[in-house]
Amino acid sequence: MTSTTEQLTEQLSATTLLRFATAGSVDDGKSTLVGRLLHDSKSILTDQLEAVEAVSLSRGQEAPDLALLTDGLRAEREQGITIDVAYRYFATARRRFILADTPGHVQYTRNMVTGASTAELAVVLVDARNGVVEQTRRHAAVAALLRVPHVVLAVNKMDLVEYAEPVFAAIAEEFTSYAASLGVPEITAIPISALAGDNVVEPSANMDWYGGPTVLEHLETVPASHDLTGCHARLPVQYVIRPQTAEHPDYRGYAGQIAAGTFRVGEQVTVLPSGRTSKIAGIDLLGEAVDIAWTPQSVTLLLEDDIDISRGDLIVPSGDAPATTQDVEATVCHVADQPLAVGQRVLLKHTTRTVKAIVKEIPSRLTLDDLSQHPNPGQLVANDIGRVKVRTAEPLALDSYADSRRTGSFLLIDPSDGTTLAAGMAGDSFATAKAVQAADDDAEWDF
Amino acid sequence: MTTAATVHETADNSEHSSPYALSHLDALESEAVHIFREVAGEFERPVILFSGGKDSIVMLHLALKAFAPAPVPFTLLHVDTGHNFPEVLEYRDRAVAEHGLRLHVASVQEYIDAGKLRERPDGTRNPLQTVPLTEAIQQHRFDAVFGGGRRDEEKARAKERVFSLRDEFSQWDPRRQRPELWQLYNGRHAPGEHVRVFPLSNWTELDVWQYIAREKIALPEIYFAHEREVFQRAGMWLTAGDWGGPKDSESVETRLIRYRTVGDMSCTGAVDSDATTLDAVIAEIAASRLTERGATRADDKMSEAAMEDRKREGYF
């Protein structure tokens, strides 16, 4: 092995993984930005580019249409629009990236929710000529609802406003105050031209007044893991491992992916919903015994006592257990074509547990454009965001989504055909307070 | 607003000093193990598609780790095109024996011999796998079928879910996919339907190779540079053999080559290479300007939507 390969191997292994999502209106240049990130980070390979060039040429287009790289389905290419979330992969020497490339059309809010649900960062694109528009507010609201930790505002097409700092500053100011009011924890604004390549991968020579990072530089350096010391530790039990072999006659391990926080050998734990307690006797990290494990590691816990634990249970530190409840209040994004109505019987999937549930109430529906509340809509349809109250057949150990994206989220599923109806976020969100207010107002007027 | 300057200051300390940061390989491994355990917890009759290629070998390795020290709670299914590399079949049988697994084989050759499938004029058997695969799924009533497909392989695959619902004809309808949120996979399906599961969805070719190197996983020899008799067809180096090559107009030569993918001999091309070790293979892939499938798969070149069309019919 040459020293170059050694260096290369070391460089490749020292990387971490960042998941991020892009959001932008149809003409904001999202495909161009994605194309530029992939192209300038040398992630588009020759045969892919040749295929795009060949198709573009056969359609009579002069330049290769980079959107063809991302529009993978026949219907998308035919219509020239992006229908569905696609996941793309690229790498630099510092980091690996999983990009959830989400469509910008209004009717595909659910796709942005899908992309944002696993993202640690969202890039919201704005056309510098148009500034913050309704769609921008919608994207900011979705990022805030899904609690994406980092938001980048990419003010695009700076080349069309003569790279003027005041234009950028005004948009950054307006967006930042709006997003901050929704509770977005961190916002970074970057002036770019995706078409000309300014501040995407290379720093711009046209905007000396900007001293910050390029988009790629920011993606490479933003924190991807969080300080877990203050997190409530949670292990949803996925599967009980019992070899029952001559070699391991008594092994009984509770396998799962740590959803939040850390677990240590010797720690006193409680199993929910039963409330039984025990102590962690050992932690297997995929065949290797460890003293401590943390999210998102997949592990197997061994307990000192032989207690009844099965898939769907939640192991937590004793003294830091969430309350269990059969009455779930949440903000949901409706993701199916069939509606969700008051009185409907559904399945609720929370971590590894799926229970029967009934929709008791839909107190409000939210309009993302202006964040206005519409009380008691009766039902939610595709792409609606609203508050729901659900009664479950069994108690759930549910955290607030604000505390844990993983143990505070759930799906509502249609039991008849298995369709995923809605994505739920338990507890309060910015959609809560005003909804109650609006409903009260209405009640007063009615009588 | 976080100013650009603050971002720079905070970036480095949080990234590399965090004791809780997982390497990208650890993160991918953990995610894949989670997917295996979800399937074990929620399905009755799961099966792993095992071709003896690197992706399915990595899948099996992950499954072994996910349930250790207990055995893998899944059977294996191999769709044998009849034109497989002998080294790969040997590897398959060794792996099955070593881990005490159960293997089902669906044979394309048997379908052809029985008149249920017809040989294509170009001799490619890859597309012919779909019928034996889907019939095996129905016959054994498999309800979850693990595939080693990765989203980085192909643009239609980039649109594929980790849990992909297939109807009773095994068809994929890209417009009717369930949104996949958080790590909450919805595996509900009606009798007769099944779910294709792709635990390596978020892995790239390089990730797979780096993981193989890290975990010291043995592979069939054809992945490493060796001398072989090959001939050129449609810009690709194909292995000469009984399956139907070379034709009179094609001439055989001995070249130093290796394979990047392992599939049917009739459509899997070799690449010129002197990479005889894992490190050399990783260096070669990191420097390559061609995608895995672009370099070595004839069947993807048939049309712009070749993969999408095959997937719609039930291909993995």
Side-chain angles (χ1 to χ4, degrees), chain A residues 5 15-16 19 46-47 74 76-77 84 89 95-96 117 238 294 296 298-299 311 349 418 420, chain B residues 1 15 20 24 30-31 34 37-38 42 159 182 185-186 202 207 210 283 289 291 294 304 308-309:
Chain A
T5 18
T15 55
T16 51
R19 291 168 200 252
T46 314
D47 54 318
R74 225 178 241 287
E76 293 178 320
R77 289 189 294 275
D84 206 341
Y89 305 84
R95 207 169 239 183
R96 296 298 180 92
S117 73
Q238 272 191 293
W294 57 88
S298 279
V299 297
R311 176 175 168 83
K349 181 166 188 181
T420 299
Chain B
M1 163 173 162
E15 170 56 23
Y20 301 117
H24 78 279
S30 176
E31 177 182 73
H34 174 250
R37 289 168 169 177
E38 277 300 281
E42 296 223 320
K159 301 270 171 178
W182 298 287
Y185 302 108
N186 177 357
N202 288 324
D207 296 329
Q210 285 188 269
R289 300 303 303 148
T291 65
E304 204 200 348
E308 179 180 346
D309 294 344

Side-chain angles (χ1 to χ4, degrees), chain B residues 3-16:
Chain B
T3 64
T6 354
V7 169
H8 265 314
E9 281 161 27
T10 53
D12 282 325
N13 62 44
S14 36
E15 170 56 23
H16 290 289

Side-chain angles (χ1 to χ4, degrees), chain A residues 31-322:
Chain A
S31 293
T32 317
L33 174 65
V34 170
R36 170 118 352 239
L37 274 174
L38 296 175
H39 184 268
D40 290 7
S41 65
K42 302 191 171 50
S43 304
I44 298 173
L45 300 183
T46 314
D47 54 318
Q48 291 171 316
L49 206 56
E50 279 171 0
V52 166
E53 279 164 358
V55 174
S56 303
L57 201 65
S58 72
R59 290 183 183 172
Q61 291 165 312
E62 280 174 18
D65 181 358
L66 286 183
L68 291 171
L69 282 170
T70 52
D71 290 343
L73 301 175
R74 225 178 241 287
E76 293 178 320
R77 289 189 294 275
E78 283 161 7
Q79 300 172 43
I81 58 160
T82 314
I83 290 171
D84 206 341
V85 183
Y87 294 88
R88 329 222 155 262
Y89 305 84
F90 67 100
T92 65
R94 303 174 80 165
R95 207 169 239 183
R96 296 298 180 92
F97 299 98
I98 301 179
L99 159 58
D101 186 10
T102 71
H105 280 68
V106 174
Q107 64 267 42
Y108 300 119
T109 298
R110 58 184 167 195
N111 286 329
M112 192 193 157
V113 170
T114 301
S117 73
T118 50
E120 287 138 321
L121 179 146
V123 179
V124 176
L125 253 102
V126 167
D127 184 327
R129 296 169 303 174
N130 305 330
V132 174
V133 294
E134 271 181 24
Q135 186 76 331
T136 319
R137 282 192 282 271
R138 232 172 260 142
H139 295 318
V142 171
L145 261 185
L146 273 290
R147 294 191 171 267
V148 179
H150 310 279
V151 170
V152 171
L153 172 73
V155 180
N156 192 24
K157 307 197 185 181
M158 286 300 291
D159 52 321
L160 301 182
V161 295
E162 289 158 354
Y163 296 107
E165 180 176 18
V167 176
F168 167 72
I171 295 170
E173 172 67 39
E174 186 184 350
F175 180 84
T176 301
S177 61
Y178 180 76
S181 75
L182 298 175
V184 173
E186 192 197 279
I187 303 146
T188 303
I190 305 174
I192 66 166
S193 166
L195 196 67
D198 294 282
N199 288 337
V200 177
V201 172
E202 299 296 329
S204 170
N206 298 309
M207 291 180 273
D208 293 341
W209 46 265
Y210 174 73
T214 64
V215 173
L216 186 65
E217 225 178 308
H218 183 63
L219 291 171
E220 283 182 315
T221 52
V222 78
S225 60
H226 305 282
D227 183 14
L228 303 174
T229 41
C231 289
H232 310 287
R234 303 287 185 254
L235 181 86
V237 176
Q238 272 191 293
Y239 193 78
V240 182
I241 294 177
R242 285 196 307 138
Q244 294 176 296
T245 55
E247 210 182 331
H248 303 279
D250 302 319
Y251 187 100
R252 189 180 173 86
Y254 305 102
Q257 188 173 25
I258 299 177
T262 61
F263 284 94
R264 283 167 210 276
V265 172
E267 195 170 6
Q268 189 81 29
V269 291
T270 299
V271 181
L272 296 172
S274 72
R276 290 185 186 92
T277 59
S278 184
K279 199 179 264 189
I280 299 177
I283 303 175
D284 276 355
L285 181 63
L286 306 183
E288 181 195 343
V290 293
D291 292 332
I292 176 171
W294 57 88
T295 180
Q297 291 179 329
S298 279
V299 297
T300 306
L301 292 192
L302 303 160
L303 300 185
E304 281 187 357
D305 309 282
D306 211 2
I307 53 180
D308 177 19
I309 302 176
S310 57
R311 176 175 168 83
D313 287 348
L314 188 71
I315 300 178
V316 302
S318 302
D320 185 18

Side-chain angles (χ1 to χ4, degrees), chain A residues 324-341:
Chain A
T324 58
T325 180
Q326 284 179 259
D327 293 292
V328 178
E329 282 195 54
T331 302
V332 302
C333 175
H334 194 72
V335 295
D337 290 328
Q338 62 230 57
L340 179 76

